[in-house]
Amino acid sequence: MEEIVSRWEEILKSFTEEYEISNVSYESWIKPLEILQIKDNTIYLVYNNETTDSFAINYITKKFQFPLKTTIAELLGKEYDIIIVSTDQASKIKAENNIKLTIEEEINNKESSEIGNSTINPKFTFENFVVGRNNRFAQTAALAVAESPGEFYNPLYIYGGPGLGKTHLMLAIGNYIASQNPNTSILYVTSEEFTNEVIENLRTNNNATAMQRFRDKYRTVDVLMVDDIQFIIGKEATQEEFFHTFNALHAMGKQIVISSDKPPKDMETLDDRFKSRFDMGLMADIGYPDYETRMAILNKKIEEKNFTLDEEIRKYIAENIQSNIREIEGALNKLIAFSRLEKADITMEIAERELQNFISPNISREVTPQLIIEVVAEHFNITVDQMASKNRSSSVVRPRQIAMYLCNQMTDSSLKSIGILLGGRDHTTIIHGANKIEEEVKADENTKNLVETIKKKINPN
């Protein structure tokens, strides 16, 4: 016992380096492990984390038990069995044996590998995902899938309200897998994009060839991630294609990750065959963030945007905006925009006035141009700053024009005020962009589906 305790730091360092354990994996799974006792050639380790549950214990046991056992045998010249227990189980063992032992672990972490070649937006990672009580299970589930795609939890079904971080976790999975194995074929797609591809391929003259190309694209990947799966409900052709794609990938042991705004059982019109397949894997929900998590998110966003905001104003935002991350970021963006346009520091008086549409305890929040721009930017995985920039690439221009159209359709704001939020553009530019999308909506079903999907994200009710 004494030798293992004294060499525990050496054991973990050797284990981390030998098996190339990433920093985020070490922090999530290995660091919380503490020696509880050694009895009959068995080492009992307690997973001492805020929320210990059977999922975490089972995953760590499957993933790390044998490698850790091997490392200990190599360093100490003796084999030990490893048993990992929860804090509740540890308390019972301590009570029985009157054992109190904890070890402070300080090791040199091996940094995560560079992100490989991936089409997924690289800014969404596990490292910059703020973990709280509301999302801890979803984060650990996502990390488990990222570390062992296709092995344990397939499909992974992440659900929760808008703006709570579902898309961030999905993209973090893709980026992590790409960083560990750049040759992995990863495909992230929104349900609306999937639907549009089905429609487009059914329209072509050579229908059979087009659909075969579509199927080859989706059924030959190693990881398929479909965001907002609820939007394929009621679209028969799309549902049929997704059903067969799901079956094909699952049969080959390929990882499937799905997100939605609600669990399958709450989707009244969802076909039972989908419910049964989604239930095959792991369900992970994301709830509303508590005050500490909201404050941590706000502080991280302020740091990322290199902005200064008094602690009193930060507390005001975190205490009053409780629904989702998107609203917190929206409030911050509005204050940043005001500060830059007016060239003034933000005071509490300014914050209370400018955020009245975000902070109104008894009134539903108004759909504003600022909200629309943020939702459109998030949908296309670009930043609000890019939307307001002079960038003329199609990947930015089209989302910008969609925002112009939706701001004009869904709000009573003047063209001038919309233009200011979009980088100081004049009213003729706003009219041109809005008209262009309006014409496309009338003429093209893909654009119509796209706009309707974004509308639902802006105002789910």
Side-chain angles (χ1 to χ4, degrees), residues 72 102 117 129 198 201 285 301 313 346-347 400 456 458:
I72 293 171
T102 60
N117 294 324
F129 183 82
V198 171
N201 286 302
D285 71 307
K301 296 295 181 184
I313 300 172
I346 300 298
T347 64
R400 186 186 294 138
K456 288 179 182 177
I458 294 167

Side-chain angles (χ1 to χ4, degrees), residues 197-344:
E197 286 193 51
V198 171
I199 293 169
E200 197 62 39
N201 286 302
L202 287 173
R203 278 178 173 174
T204 58
N205 294 329
N206 195 342
N207 180 271
T209 303
M211 286 309 298
Q212 188 57 48
R213 281 199 303 268
F214 169 84
R215 288 162 185 161
D216 288 344
K217 172 184 175 180
Y218 281 94
R219 300 181 193 182
T220 57
V221 297
D222 299 310
V223 181
L224 175 63
M225 299 185 286
V226 183
D227 212 351
D228 289 321
I229 197 70
Q230 69 271 17
F231 292 130
I232 73 166
I233 296 174
K235 299 169 183 173
E236 292 184 12
T238 303
Q239 284 190 149
E240 196 65 26
E241 282 302 323
F242 179 75
F243 177 76
H244 293 300
T245 296
F246 182 102
N247 286 345
L249 290 174
H250 197 272
M252 293 186 289
K254 306 301 184 182
Q255 183 65 52
I256 302 166
V257 183
I258 298 162
S259 84
S260 178
D261 62 346
K262 61 187 72 173
K265 64 182 179 63
D266 290 346
M267 296 184 191
E268 296 178 0
T269 57
L270 182 65
D271 196 309
D272 285 342
R273 59 182 178 167
F274 283 104
K275 291 181 181 178
S276 65
R277 278 157 179 77
F278 294 160
D279 286 339
M280 290 162 58
L282 180 68
M283 299 280 172
D285 71 307
I286 301 181
Y288 293 114
D290 57 20
Y291 171 78
E292 289 78 10
T293 306
R294 297 195 300 272
M295 182 61 89
I297 291 167
L298 181 59
N299 288 337
K300 181 174 281 291
K301 296 295 181 184
I302 289 171
E303 182 183 345
E304 288 174 358
K305 295 173 186 294
N306 194 26
F307 189 62
T308 302
L309 200 61
D310 288 346
E311 185 71 16
E312 183 186 13
I313 300 172
R314 297 184 190 208
K315 289 180 179 178
Y316 174 72
I317 295 172
E319 286 172 354
N320 288 281
I321 300 180
Q322 303 178 11
S323 55
N324 63 51
I325 299 161
R326 188 181 297 142
E327 289 194 352
I328 292 172
E329 188 165 14
L332 177 60
N333 286 338
K334 185 162 188 182
L335 294 183
I336 292 173
F338 179 91
S339 178
R340 289 175 180 170
L341 287 170
E342 299 295 328
K343 295 181 172 52

Side-chain angles (χ1 to χ4, degrees), residues 139-155:
Q139 188 268 350
T140 53
L143 180 58
V145 164
E147 290 179 333
S148 307
E151 290 185 31
F152 298 126
Y153 308 108
N154 198 15

Side-chain angles (χ1 to χ4, degrees), residues 90-106:
S91 297
K92 293 177 183 178
I93 294 173
K94 285 180 180 180
E96 291 170 3
N97 297 284
N98 194 28
I99 291 173
K100 286 188 177 181
L101 173 65
T102 60
I103 297 175
E104 290 190 8
E105 304 167 56
E106 298 238 356

Side-chain angles (χ1 to χ4, degrees), residues 168-222:
H168 187 139
L169 275 183
M170 294 183 80
L171 297 177
I173 291 171
N175 282 318
Y176 186 96
I177 293 172
S179 73
Q180 301 301 306
N181 186 356
N183 296 321
T184 304
S185 175
I186 305 166
L187 180 57
Y188 166 84
V189 65
T190 65
S191 61
E192 153 250 318
E193 289 168 338
F194 187 87
T195 299
N196 288 345
E197 286 193 51
V198 171
I199 293 169
E200 197 62 39
N201 286 302
L202 287 173
R203 278 178 173 174
T204 58
N205 294 329
N206 195 342
N207 180 271
T209 303
M211 286 309 298
Q212 188 57 48
R213 281 199 303 268
F214 169 84
R215 288 162 185 161
D216 288 344
K217 172 184 175 180
Y218 281 94
R219 300 181 193 182
T220 57
V221 297
D222 299 310

Side-chain angles (χ1 to χ4, degrees), residues 113-132:
S113 303
E114 292 278 320
I115 296 295
N117 294 324
S118 173
T119 57
I120 295 170
N121 191 326
K123 77 173 185 176
F124 295 101
T125 65
F126 286 111
E127 284 78 7
N128 61 23
F129 183 82
V130 178
V131 181

